[in-house]
Amino acid sequence: MDKLIITGGARLDGEIRISGAKNSALPILAATLLCDGPVTVANLPHLHDITTMIELFGRMGIEPVIDEKLSVEIDPRTIKTLIAPYELVKTMRASILVLGPMVARFGEAEVALPGGCAIGSRPVDLHIRGLEAMGAVIDVEGGYIKAKAPEGGLRGASFFFDTVSVTGTENIMMAAALAKGRSVLQNAAREPEVVDLANFLNAMGAKVSGAGTTPSPSMA
């Protein structure tokens, strides 16, 4: 099709469902792993990345309950494995977002590198360094990020992002929500999805301030 020709002037009438944004829904789904009980996330967009994230939860032993209006209930207490396998991570880079919540909530995680076993500069370096700043011990081997929290759990920290990273900000923000003490993220991303995630974390009881503004987000 070379072009669309639209003739206006006729009254438009009808209804359309407007779903939530994918870029907000994915980190919010990952953040449900921080909870100690069931969480419901409503108005999800009907997109492949959303079903991939839900499938990832299923691989980890969680059984999400989805209704016809694309609301999903997730109970992270049923988790059986803390591994995010490569065959799913390779299809959706946002799968890396489960790393921070799993380390913070369960003390460990194994998440495949989006690029597999490729050696060299990795776009997930900021995720790794942010968690290390909170005390996590991380090894990268066999194409997987293997992370363990220190005894007593992650600790609040100040972390400066060398480059602005949306998923990096989101991952470290989620980890900081359960870390002991106050965390300050400098040069953090300010996109609307970061603000949506901060609002979701606050709705669950976290204390996040500064998201989406020039000052750095902080968590207490």
Side-chain angles (χ1 to χ4, degrees), residues 33 37 39 42 50 73 146-147 211 217:
L33 296 174
V39 183
I50 299 298
E73 181 181 285
K146 300 182 179 181

Side-chain angles (χ1 to χ4, degrees), residues 18-207:
I18 305 299
S19 65
K22 180 195 74 170
N23 288 347
S24 294
L26 290 172
I28 284 173
L29 286 173
T32 64
L33 296 174
L34 295 166
C35 299
D36 56 3
V39 183
T40 299
V41 181
N43 200 33
L44 292 171
H46 190 198
L47 297 171
H48 178 70
D49 283 358
I50 299 298
T51 56
T52 299
M53 182 68 83
I54 291 172
E55 182 182 353
L56 175 58
F57 284 171
R59 290 285 192 94
M60 294 190 293
I62 300 170
E63 298 182 0
V65 178
I66 309 171
D67 67 18
E68 67 279 0
K69 294 183 179 180
L70 287 179
S71 291
V72 60
E73 181 181 285
I74 297 168
D75 189 347
R77 296 174 299 182
T78 63
I79 198 166
K80 295 181 176 63
T81 178
L82 299 172
I83 299 175
Y86 176 64
E87 59 265 27
L88 283 179
V89 175
K90 72 178 180 180
T91 67
M92 185 185 66
R93 299 185 65 87
S95 301
I96 192 70
L97 289 170
V98 301
L99 177 64
M102 285 200 294
V103 176
R105 175 77 172 84
F106 304 105
E108 60 182 288
E110 289 189 27
V111 178
L113 286 167
C117 298
I119 298 175
S121 177
R122 295 186 301 271
V124 297
D125 282 352
L126 291 172
H127 304 241
I128 293 172
R129 286 165 45 205
L131 290 172
E132 287 177 334
M134 295 182 196
V137 176
I138 298 179
D139 293 313
V140 180
E141 56 183 46
Y144 278 78
I145 303 168
K146 300 182 179 181
K148 286 191 176 182
E151 185 175 351
L154 297 178
R155 304 182 299 269
S158 292
F159 182 73
F160 181 86
F161 290 91
D162 293 339
T163 58
V164 178
S165 167
V166 173
T167 55
T169 297
E170 291 166 343
N171 227 341
I172 305 309
M173 185 190 300
M174 288 186 282
L178 287 186
K180 294 178 174 61
R182 184 171 183 265
S183 295
V184 177
L185 308 185
Q186 298 176 300
N187 200 32
R190 293 179 287 170
E191 277 73 0
E193 54 265 37
V194 173
V195 178
D196 287 341
L197 175 60
N199 291 336
F200 180 71
L201 293 173
N202 286 337
M204 294 193 297
K207 296 180 180 178

